[in-house]
Amino acid sequence: MKIQVDQNLCIGDGSCVMIAAKTFKLNPDGKCYILNEELGPEEKSADGMVKSPATETMDARDIILEAARACPVQALRLYEDDGTEIKV
Ligand code: SF4
């Protein structure tokens, strides 16, 4: 599974962090980022989109799905490894 956060949409309410604390965290700007060892807390692409594959250190798939459903602004998008978007 691949995870994408649209930091332009994120309002930093922390719902995803409360549900999936091993996958998401808020950076100092109050924007969600993905807890991937390769991504630092300040990681932010030019277009505000942060992407990462799910890794073994992250939450289970169902937990990540629940976190995406809880986002009030639909800033979290999930994709299968083949690129198909997962409906949450
Ligand atoms: S639930 Fe959505 S709006 Fe809230 S911190 Fe996570 S990505 Fe941002």
PDB file of all heavy atoms in Angstrom, residues 5 9-17 26 32 67 70-73 75-76, ligand 1:
ATOM      1  N   VAL A   5      -0.210  12.155   1.540  1.00  0.00           N
ATOM      2  CA  VAL A   5      -0.797  13.237   2.336  1.00  0.00           C
ATOM      3  C   VAL A   5      -0.749  14.526   1.527  1.00  0.00           C
ATOM      4  O   VAL A   5       0.311  14.905   1.024  1.00  0.00           O
ATOM      5  CB  VAL A   5      -0.002  13.456   3.651  1.00  0.00           C
ATOM      6  CG1 VAL A   5      -0.622  14.596   4.446  1.00  0.00           C
ATOM      7  CG2 VAL A   5       0.030  12.191   4.477  1.00  0.00           C
ATOM      8  N   LEU A   9      -4.234  20.498   1.974  1.00  0.00           N
ATOM      9  CA  LEU A   9      -5.568  20.305   2.535  1.00  0.00           C
ATOM     10  C   LEU A   9      -5.538  20.128   4.045  1.00  0.00           C
ATOM     11  O   LEU A   9      -6.484  20.503   4.741  1.00  0.00           O
ATOM     12  CB  LEU A   9      -6.229  19.064   1.909  1.00  0.00           C
ATOM     13  CG  LEU A   9      -6.608  19.137   0.433  1.00  0.00           C
ATOM     14  CD1 LEU A   9      -7.166  17.788  -0.038  1.00  0.00           C
ATOM     15  CD2 LEU A   9      -7.628  20.235   0.193  1.00  0.00           C
ATOM     16  N   CYS A  10      -4.466  19.528   4.569  1.00  0.00           N
ATOM     17  CA  CYS A  10      -4.396  19.191   5.996  1.00  0.00           C
ATOM     18  C   CYS A  10      -4.596  20.426   6.868  1.00  0.00           C
ATOM     19  O   CYS A  10      -3.963  21.452   6.657  1.00  0.00           O
ATOM     20  CB  CYS A  10      -3.037  18.554   6.304  1.00  0.00           C
ATOM     21  SG  CYS A  10      -2.771  18.209   8.055  1.00  0.00           S
ATOM     22  N   ILE A  11      -5.501  20.282   7.856  1.00  0.00           N
ATOM     23  CA  ILE A  11      -5.747  21.376   8.798  1.00  0.00           C
ATOM     24  C   ILE A  11      -5.122  21.082  10.167  1.00  0.00           C
ATOM     25  O   ILE A  11      -5.334  21.821  11.123  1.00  0.00           O
ATOM     26  CB  ILE A  11      -7.255  21.650   8.955  1.00  0.00           C
ATOM     27  CG1 ILE A  11      -8.008  20.398   9.418  1.00  0.00           C
ATOM     28  CG2 ILE A  11      -7.831  22.190   7.645  1.00  0.00           C
ATOM     29  CD1 ILE A  11      -9.470  20.634   9.779  1.00  0.00           C
ATOM     30  N   GLY A  12      -4.396  19.957  10.250  1.00  0.00           N
ATOM     31  CA  GLY A  12      -3.635  19.659  11.459  1.00  0.00           C
ATOM     32  C   GLY A  12      -4.464  19.330  12.683  1.00  0.00           C
ATOM     33  O   GLY A  12      -4.030  19.578  13.810  1.00  0.00           O
ATOM     34  N   ASP A  13      -5.645  18.752  12.478  1.00  0.00           N
ATOM     35  CA  ASP A  13      -6.485  18.442  13.651  1.00  0.00           C
ATOM     36  C   ASP A  13      -5.984  17.224  14.414  1.00  0.00           C
ATOM     37  O   ASP A  13      -6.374  17.010  15.554  1.00  0.00           O
ATOM     38  CB  ASP A  13      -7.943  18.244  13.239  1.00  0.00           C
ATOM     39  CG  ASP A  13      -8.174  16.891  12.607  1.00  0.00           C
ATOM     40  OD1 ASP A  13      -7.318  16.461  11.791  1.00  0.00           O
ATOM     41  OD2 ASP A  13      -9.186  16.254  12.929  1.00  0.00           O
ATOM     42  N   GLY A  14      -5.135  16.423  13.798  1.00  0.00           N
ATOM     43  CA  GLY A  14      -4.496  15.308  14.499  1.00  0.00           C
ATOM     44  C   GLY A  14      -5.303  14.029  14.571  1.00  0.00           C
ATOM     45  O   GLY A  14      -4.881  13.089  15.246  1.00  0.00           O
ATOM     46  N   SER A  15      -6.426  13.942  13.892  1.00  0.00           N
ATOM     47  CA  SER A  15      -7.234  12.716  13.952  1.00  0.00           C
ATOM     48  C   SER A  15      -6.433  11.505  13.493  1.00  0.00           C
ATOM     49  O   SER A  15      -6.461  10.446  14.138  1.00  0.00           O
ATOM     50  CB  SER A  15      -8.478  12.850  13.068  1.00  0.00           C
ATOM     51  OG  SER A  15      -9.316  13.863  13.553  1.00  0.00           O
ATOM     52  N   CYS A  16      -5.722  11.651  12.404  1.00  0.00           N
ATOM     53  CA  CYS A  16      -4.962  10.510  11.869  1.00  0.00           C
ATOM     54  C   CYS A  16      -3.862  10.100  12.838  1.00  0.00           C
ATOM     55  O   CYS A  16      -3.578   8.912  12.990  1.00  0.00           O
ATOM     56  CB  CYS A  16      -4.395  10.840  10.500  1.00  0.00           C
ATOM     57  SG  CYS A  16      -3.254  12.243  10.479  1.00  0.00           S
ATOM     58  N   VAL A  17      -3.255  11.067  13.500  1.00  0.00           N
ATOM     59  CA  VAL A  17      -2.171  10.777  14.437  1.00  0.00           C
ATOM     60  C   VAL A  17      -2.700  10.005  15.643  1.00  0.00           C
ATOM     61  O   VAL A  17      -2.063   9.067  16.129  1.00  0.00           O
ATOM     62  CB  VAL A  17      -1.499  12.089  14.898  1.00  0.00           C
ATOM     63  CG1 VAL A  17      -0.407  11.807  15.919  1.00  0.00           C
ATOM     64  CG2 VAL A  17      -0.929  12.838  13.696  1.00  0.00           C
ATOM     65  N   LEU A  26       2.423  15.064  13.245  1.00  0.00           N
ATOM     66  CA  LEU A  26       2.333  16.460  12.800  1.00  0.00           C
ATOM     67  C   LEU A  26       3.723  17.073  12.833  1.00  0.00           C
ATOM     68  O   LEU A  26       4.480  16.882  13.783  1.00  0.00           O
ATOM     69  CB  LEU A  26       1.393  17.253  13.711  1.00  0.00           C
ATOM     70  CG  LEU A  26      -0.072  16.838  13.659  1.00  0.00           C
ATOM     71  CD1 LEU A  26      -0.888  17.699  14.641  1.00  0.00           C
ATOM     72  CD2 LEU A  26      -0.651  16.979  12.259  1.00  0.00           C
ATOM     73  N   CYS A  32       0.391  17.257   8.637  1.00  0.00           N
ATOM     74  CA  CYS A  32       0.647  15.829   8.782  1.00  0.00           C
ATOM     75  C   CYS A  32       1.778  15.379   7.868  1.00  0.00           C
ATOM     76  O   CYS A  32       1.874  15.831   6.729  1.00  0.00           O
ATOM     77  CB  CYS A  32      -0.635  15.080   8.430  1.00  0.00           C
ATOM     78  SG  CYS A  32      -0.464  13.295   8.442  1.00  0.00           S
ATOM     79  N   ALA A  67      -7.694   5.663   9.781  1.00  0.00           N
ATOM     80  CA  ALA A  67      -7.163   7.023   9.902  1.00  0.00           C
ATOM     81  C   ALA A  67      -7.550   7.865   8.694  1.00  0.00           C
ATOM     82  O   ALA A  67      -7.931   9.041   8.832  1.00  0.00           O
ATOM     83  CB  ALA A  67      -5.638   6.971  10.050  1.00  0.00           C
ATOM     84  N   ALA A  70     -11.041   9.008   8.921  1.00  0.00           N
ATOM     85  CA  ALA A  70     -11.273   9.995   9.978  1.00  0.00           C
ATOM     86  C   ALA A  70     -10.829  11.398   9.589  1.00  0.00           C
ATOM     87  O   ALA A  70     -11.191  12.369  10.261  1.00  0.00           O
ATOM     88  CB  ALA A  70     -10.523   9.563  11.239  1.00  0.00           C
ATOM     89  N   CYS A  71     -10.083  11.525   8.518  1.00  0.00           N
ATOM     90  CA  CYS A  71      -9.595  12.849   8.138  1.00  0.00           C
ATOM     91  C   CYS A  71     -10.769  13.730   7.699  1.00  0.00           C
ATOM     92  O   CYS A  71     -11.492  13.377   6.770  1.00  0.00           O
ATOM     93  CB  CYS A  71      -8.567  12.727   7.011  1.00  0.00           C
ATOM     94  SG  CYS A  71      -7.958  14.343   6.474  1.00  0.00           S
ATOM     95  N   PRO A  72     -10.953  14.860   8.335  1.00  0.00           N
ATOM     96  CA  PRO A  72     -12.113  15.702   8.038  1.00  0.00           C
ATOM     97  C   PRO A  72     -12.045  16.427   6.700  1.00  0.00           C
ATOM     98  O   PRO A  72     -13.053  16.951   6.232  1.00  0.00           O
ATOM     99  CB  PRO A  72     -12.123  16.709   9.199  1.00  0.00           C
ATOM    100  CG  PRO A  72     -10.709  16.785   9.643  1.00  0.00           C
ATOM    101  CD  PRO A  72     -10.136  15.411   9.440  1.00  0.00           C
ATOM    102  N   VAL A  73     -10.857  16.449   6.093  1.00  0.00           N
ATOM    103  CA  VAL A  73     -10.716  17.180   4.825  1.00  0.00           C
ATOM    104  C   VAL A  73     -10.229  16.275   3.685  1.00  0.00           C
ATOM    105  O   VAL A  73      -9.791  16.749   2.643  1.00  0.00           O
ATOM    106  CB  VAL A  73      -9.773  18.392   4.991  1.00  0.00           C
ATOM    107  CG1 VAL A  73     -10.406  19.437   5.896  1.00  0.00           C
ATOM    108  CG2 VAL A  73      -8.414  17.957   5.528  1.00  0.00           C
ATOM    109  N   ALA A  75      -7.561  14.582   3.265  1.00  0.00           N
ATOM    110  CA  ALA A  75      -6.188  14.870   2.857  1.00  0.00           C
ATOM    111  C   ALA A  75      -5.356  13.605   2.687  1.00  0.00           C
ATOM    112  O   ALA A  75      -4.256  13.662   2.148  1.00  0.00           O
ATOM    113  CB  ALA A  75      -5.519  15.789   3.881  1.00  0.00           C
ATOM    114  N   LEU A  76      -5.888  12.469   3.162  1.00  0.00           N
ATOM    115  CA  LEU A  76      -5.149  11.210   3.080  1.00  0.00           C
ATOM    116  C   LEU A  76      -5.708  10.359   1.959  1.00  0.00           C
ATOM    117  O   LEU A  76      -6.903  10.079   1.918  1.00  0.00           O
ATOM    118  CB  LEU A  76      -5.242  10.451   4.412  1.00  0.00           C
ATOM    119  CG  LEU A  76      -4.724  11.204   5.635  1.00  0.00           C
ATOM    120  CD1 LEU A  76      -4.931  10.370   6.890  1.00  0.00           C
ATOM    121  CD2 LEU A  76      -3.266  11.571   5.474  1.00  0.00           C
TER     122      LEU A  76
HETATM  123  S1  SF4 B   1      -6.621  13.801   9.923  1.00  0.00           S
HETATM  124 FE1  SF4 B   1      -6.323  14.935   7.982  1.00  0.00          FE
HETATM  125  S2  SF4 B   1      -6.432  17.103   8.558  1.00  0.00           S
HETATM  126 FE2  SF4 B   1      -6.107  15.930  10.438  1.00  0.00          FE
HETATM  127  S3  SF4 B   1      -3.869  15.932  10.739  1.00  0.00           S
HETATM  128 FE3  SF4 B   1      -4.405  14.062   9.610  1.00  0.00          FE
HETATM  129  S4  SF4 B   1      -4.176  14.613   7.441  1.00  0.00           S
HETATM  130 FE4  SF4 B   1      -4.277  16.518   8.601  1.00  0.00          FE
END
